[in-house]
Amino acid sequence: MKVLGVCGSPRKNGNAAGMLKLALKECAAAGHETELVELAGKRINYCGGCSACPPCNVKDAMQAIYPKLEGADAVIIASPTYFAGPPGLLKSFMDRTLTLRRKNFALKGKIGAVIVVGASRNGGQENVCRDILNWMLIHDMTVVGDGSPTAHFGGICVGRNPGEAEKDEAGVKTVVGVGKRVAQELAARSGRRAGEGVVWPAAKGEGRKR
Ligand SMILES: Cc1cc2nc3c(=O)[nH]c(=O)nc-3n(C[C@H](O)[C@H](O)[C@H](O)COP(=O)(O)O)c2cc1C
């Protein structure tokens, strides 16, 4: 199954991209196809609210991203924290997906997960997670977090300069957890009818039937 990673940082190869690559690596190790799209350097205009969609008639980088989103089974969004919110680039990306919601909920049921990096320990990463998870819920996606035993809102890391987030051991655990959790959910979907007989291989001894 296909996992699309979208990095919303305006800085190419920064912390968010590094963390997203770690999560995608987990998905690839579990046998899933992965693709990374960095929004950095791409021209993505803000949604002008013209209400003409679908389709979106703004001719920019989003036109190549729409089919990637539609073709994915899971979408992981990674973002830096900017003033306790997502950067404008990522907000524009999210707003511009209105056309997919209006296309009979084209993202409905896809797995969604988030990874957020900030320079400070309590710099607002949870707010950014919330914003992105809200975007996923409004698309009627199925959201997962970082899975047990950490099991919170997704991958949350601390790092300022590129490469620093990799040194945040506790944060990296949550990022790897996101990758594993997405991979598990996709595997569960491919081999069963929804909700049947899955034992989640979470922490040792924690597997549970559902
Ligand atoms: C405009 C701006 C605002 C920022 N605001 C915050 C913030 O509110 N909280 C925080 O923890 N870090 C903040 N940061 C730091 C970035 O989140 C941090 O450097 C992060 O690692 C950048 O990720 P990237 O390398 O993927 O771009 C801000 C950085 C910029 C450029």
Side-chain angles (χ1 to χ4, degrees):
M1 296 182 99
K2 188 158 182 186
V3 184
L4 177 68
V6 176
C7 181
S9 175
R11 182 158 73 170
K12 211 169 168 56
N13 289 320
N15 285 312
M19 294 299 98
L20 183 53
K21 283 175 196 164
L22 280 184
L24 291 177
K25 207 167 125 191
E26 290 297 323
C27 297
H32 300 295
E33 191 187 330
T34 64
E35 182 177 359
L36 170 67
V37 171
E38 287 201 59
L39 301 186
K42 292 192 169 37
R43 192 170 58 84
I44 297 177
N45 291 299
Y46 55 81
C47 174
C50 71
S51 266
C53 64
C56 176
N57 292 318
V58 182
K59 302 291 176 247
D60 61 11
M62 282 305 289
Q63 298 301 336
I65 298 174
Y66 291 135
K68 291 181 194 294
L69 287 165
E70 288 192 79
D73 298 293
V75 179
I76 305 176
I77 306 275
S79 177
T81 305
Y82 276 18
F83 286 96
L89 179 63
L90 179 58
K91 182 69 169 95
S92 290
F93 161 88
M94 292 195 289
D95 291 347
R96 289 284 304 287
T97 61
L98 175 63
T99 184
L100 298 178
R101 188 175 190 272
R102 288 182 168 181
K103 199 178 163 188
N104 199 20
F105 288 91
L107 303 186
K108 181 186 173 93
K110 296 181 190 292
I111 307 295
V114 303
I115 293 167
V116 180
V117 185
S120 304
R121 173 63 59 195
N122 299 301
Q125 290 92 327
E126 289 185 16
N127 291 330
V128 186
C129 282
R130 189 70 258 168
D131 287 344
I132 299 169
L133 291 171
N134 282 346
W135 172 80
M136 291 172 172
L137 290 170
I138 291 169
H139 274 295
D140 202 6
M141 295 173 70
T142 303
V143 301
V144 297
D146 44 320
S148 54
T150 51
H152 282 94
F153 318 104
I156 295 190
C157 291
V158 180
R160 184 179 302 274
N161 299 314
E164 276 182 15
E166 283 167 36
K167 295 174 201 142
D168 175 18
E169 231 175 272
V172 165
K173 259 189 205 160
T174 64
V175 169
V176 170
V178 163
K180 285 191 190 303
R181 187 66 190 83
V182 168
Q184 279 171 7
E185 190 58 34
L186 288 175
R189 281 182 171 204
S190 62
R192 67 171 166 106
R193 282 189 287 149
E196 272 189 357
V198 177
V199 177
W200 295 100
K204 259 190 196 142
E206 264 196 18
R208 66 181 170 87
K209 279 236 177 214
R210 72 166 206 180

